[in-house]
Amino acid sequence: MAQIAGIIKYEGDNSTFIWKHPCEDFNSLTQLIVHESQEAIFFMNGQALDLFGPGRYTLETQNIPLIGKELKKATGGKTPFHCEVYFINKTVQMGIKWGTPELVRFIEPTLGIPLGIGASGELNLTVTDSRKLLVKLVGTMRGIAWEEGRQGFTKSIQNAFRAMVVTEVKTNLASVIKEQNINLLEIDEKLDELSEILRKKIAPGFEEYGITIPQFYVSTINLPEGDPNFKRLRELHTIELQTKMVEAEAKIKTARAEADATVTAAQRKVVLEEQATETEIARRVAERELIDAQAKAQAAKMEGFAEAEVMKAKGYNQKDVLQADVQKAYAEGIGNMGANGGGGVTSDFVSLGVGLAAAGQVGSQMSDMFKGFTPSEEAQACAKCGATVSATAKFCQECGARVEKLNDNEILCPSCGNKTAKGRFCQECGASLIRKCAKCGAEIPNNAKFCQECGEKA
């Protein structure tokens, strides 16, 4: 007869996946203790009935309604009944190893050559549906451990799912490498990505048994180092890397050259801007000097006009005085005609003609007759407009320009009005002193009114 238990609790270790309590006969007041990360399932007559989570329970009718009818048959709660209890460990079991026992055939896409590769790693498991796991996997066994070699267990999770894991890895490993365009020689950089894709491929097979795979790790890819085809692939990869390095160095040199050119252009731009600034400053200074020179020339011109007006007024008064003096001399000449001794008639007429010409009292015939005998002052031409002015005049009566005393090697500049040596340009303002005749093309002074070659008016 089986032992009647008063308290039912888990007595295995954490490496046990599913553990069946050895006692099978219970009273209706038996205590059930379920620890954290565990679940307990009651079996009666080979049927899974009630499931208990963490806590302490008294096996009464209200706690186990599915077997309540059996408990009611017991008199005084002392009659035992036959039942089985399974404890399910729901902790995440980590580090369960897996690996492909033989190499997986892989056709390298670059060269189209066949290669054999292997894979191994670890996975983590946890239970999501205890009832489904017991019904589909455990059956009547005493339990299942995570690893092989557990005493008293005929099956382990590794044994139960090894074939499924290996089959899924062999089926999907080569296709995933191709789909993700993973280079075998650089596959270590893609292990995380490869592991997650394989986990999603394998997980549905575990979920059918109420188990999930929270993590799946591909830790090693075994490459055929001794295969001649693989050696050739490695050599081609090395050449490709060297080519990329050369291209990268060329790009770096190009980038440096472009950067240097940009810096040089920027520096040149600064220099040109500085030169442009200096040129602009010089141009503005020249403009100011030209404006000052023009202002001075205009002031001198206006001063000449003003002085000319004054002289004109004075000249009118002096003319009246001169006319009176000439008339007086004329009267004296008439009175002295024939009194000159041996002068004769000619001398008398000369004296008379001077007076008449100066006074303007004789006719045109007399004036013309004595014009050659009239003493005249030395005349000069205005340097600006070319009009004839008296040698004693200070301003031109035609344009009002100031009359300067010039020697044979000097002229007045028509632009600034200053004296300058004869030549092609003014030494004061730089203006041109020579121009060309519109008719014959001969060079003529800038202040001349007529061309000296053809007589064309300038």
Side-chain angles (χ1 to χ4, degrees):
M1 181 176 181
Q3 180 181 2
I4 299 175
I7 296 178
I8 301 174
K9 65 179 181 179
Y10 178 75
E11 297 177 0
D13 55 27
N14 196 45
S15 64
T16 300
F17 188 41
I18 298 175
W19 181 76
K20 180 182 178 181
H21 197 279
C23 294
E24 298 179 352
D25 296 327
F26 307 104
N27 292 323
S28 61
L29 299 179
T30 299
Q31 299 291 309
L32 173 64
I33 299 175
V34 182
H35 296 289
E36 291 288 346
S37 72
Q38 292 179 350
E39 286 182 343
I41 296 181
F42 270 77
F43 273 75
M44 177 172 277
N45 298 325
Q47 182 181 5
L49 299 178
D50 293 294
L51 187 147
F52 294 89
R56 186 183 184 95
Y57 305 91
T58 300
L59 300 183
E60 296 178 343
T61 303
Q62 62 270 24
N63 291 335
I64 44 178
L66 295 180
I67 60 174
K69 295 180 180 181
E70 299 295 332
L71 291 176
K72 288 180 180 179
K73 295 178 181 179
T75 58
K78 295 182 180 181
T79 301
F81 59 93
H82 182 75
C83 189
E84 298 173 327
V85 178
Y86 284 87
F87 287 89
I88 294 90
N89 187 351
K90 299 194 71 175
T91 60
V92 177
Q93 296 300 313
M94 306 176 67
I96 301 176
K97 298 182 181 301
W98 65 268
T100 56
E102 62 274 341
L103 297 179
V104 178
R105 178 71 63 178
F106 174 74
I107 303 300
E108 203 283 322
T110 303
L111 300 178
I113 55 177
L115 298 173
I117 60 175
S120 61
E122 298 179 353
L123 58 86
N124 300 335
L125 292 177
T126 186
V127 178
T128 57
D129 191 331
S130 301
R131 190 184 301 273
K132 182 185 291 187
L133 178 63
L134 283 172
V135 171
K136 286 197 170 187
L137 186 63
V138 178
T140 60
M141 293 187 300
R142 291 182 53 191
I144 294 178
W146 295 104
E147 300 176 353
E148 300 179 19
R150 291 286 297 165
Q151 185 177 3
F153 296 134
T154 58
K155 186 182 294 187
S156 69
I157 291 296
Q158 287 181 335
N159 287 333
F161 293 99
R162 175 181 286 112
M164 184 185 71
V165 172
V166 171
T167 300
E168 292 294 334
V169 170
K170 291 178 66 176
T171 301
N172 295 283
L173 180 61
S175 61
V176 171
I177 293 175
K178 289 182 180 180
E179 290 172 0
Q180 302 301 316
N181 195 25
I182 299 175
N183 190 326
L184 280 181
L185 299 176
E186 300 174 355
I187 198 168
D188 289 344
E189 301 175 2
K190 303 291 184 177
L191 290 182
D192 288 345
E193 180 180 347
L194 185 63
S195 298
E196 180 59 20
I197 295 175
L198 290 177
R199 185 193 72 81
K200 293 179 179 179
K201 299 285 186 180
I202 296 172
F206 283 89
E207 292 172 355
E208 291 183 6
Y209 295 88
I211 303 174
T212 187
I213 307 176
Q215 292 85 29
F216 182 87
Y217 302 104
V218 179
S219 58
T220 304
I221 297 293
N222 300 319
L223 301 177
E225 298 292 344
D227 192 331
N229 290 333
F230 186 75
K231 291 182 179 179
R232 180 184 175 192
L233 179 64
R234 188 179 291 280
E235 291 173 356
L236 292 176
H237 182 69
T238 302
I239 295 173
E240 183 179 356
L241 288 178
Q242 292 175 346
T243 302
K244 290 181 178 180
M245 291 179 62
V246 172
E247 292 176 352
E249 291 177 355
K251 290 181 179 180
I252 292 174
K253 291 181 180 179
T254 302
R256 287 177 178 174
E258 291 177 353
D260 292 341
T262 301
V263 173
T264 302
Q267 294 174 345
R268 178 60 179 167
K269 182 178 180 181
V270 172
V271 173
L272 291 176
E273 289 177 352
E274 292 177 352
Q275 293 177 349
T277 302
E278 294 175 355
T279 303
E280 181 64 18
I281 293 174
R283 186 184 66 81
R284 292 181 179 179
V285 170
E287 288 180 352
R288 285 196 297 269
E289 292 178 351
L290 179 59
I291 292 172
D292 291 343
Q294 292 175 346
K296 291 179 180 179
Q298 185 66 21
K301 181 178 179 180
M302 297 304 296
E303 181 181 355
F305 278 131
E307 189 171 350
E309 290 297 326
V310 173
M311 292 301 296
K312 183 177 180 181
K314 290 182 178 181
Y316 175 79
N317 295 333
Q318 294 295 331
K319 182 178 179 182
D320 292 342
V321 175
L322 179 60
Q323 185 175 1
D325 291 341
V326 171
Q327 289 176 350
K328 181 179 179 181
Y330 170 73
E332 291 178 352
I334 292 296
N336 294 327
M337 286 184 66
N340 290 328
V345 177
T346 302
S347 178
D348 292 339
F349 272 96
V350 170
S351 298
L352 180 60
V354 171
L356 292 176
Q361 299 297 320
V362 297
S364 59
Q365 294 84 357
M366 184 63 71
S367 177
D368 292 338
M369 182 179 64
F370 287 99
K371 187 176 298 184
F373 296 94
T374 305
S376 60
E377 298 176 345
E378 183 181 357
Q380 60 180 341
C382 175
K384 184 172 184 180
C385 67
T388 301
V389 295
S390 173
T392 59
K394 293 184 178 181
F395 295 91
C396 176
Q397 294 183 350
E398 296 294 330
C399 65
R402 186 180 184 85
V403 178
E404 297 284 351
K405 296 296 183 180
L406 304 174
N407 55 37
D408 294 339
N409 295 323
E410 292 181 332
I411 61 172
L412 285 179
C413 176
S415 296
C416 65
N418 294 321
K419 291 192 297 183
T420 181
K422 290 181 179 180
R424 292 181 174 273
F425 298 95
C426 175
Q427 295 180 350
E428 297 295 329
C429 67
S432 176
L433 301 176
I434 300 297
R435 54 181 173 162
K436 290 186 177 182
C437 174
K439 184 176 181 180
C440 67
E443 293 184 351
I444 57 175
N446 201 24
N447 58 354
K449 288 189 175 183
F450 296 92
C451 175
Q452 297 176 355
E453 297 293 331
C454 64
E456 179 71 14
K457 186 174 182 180

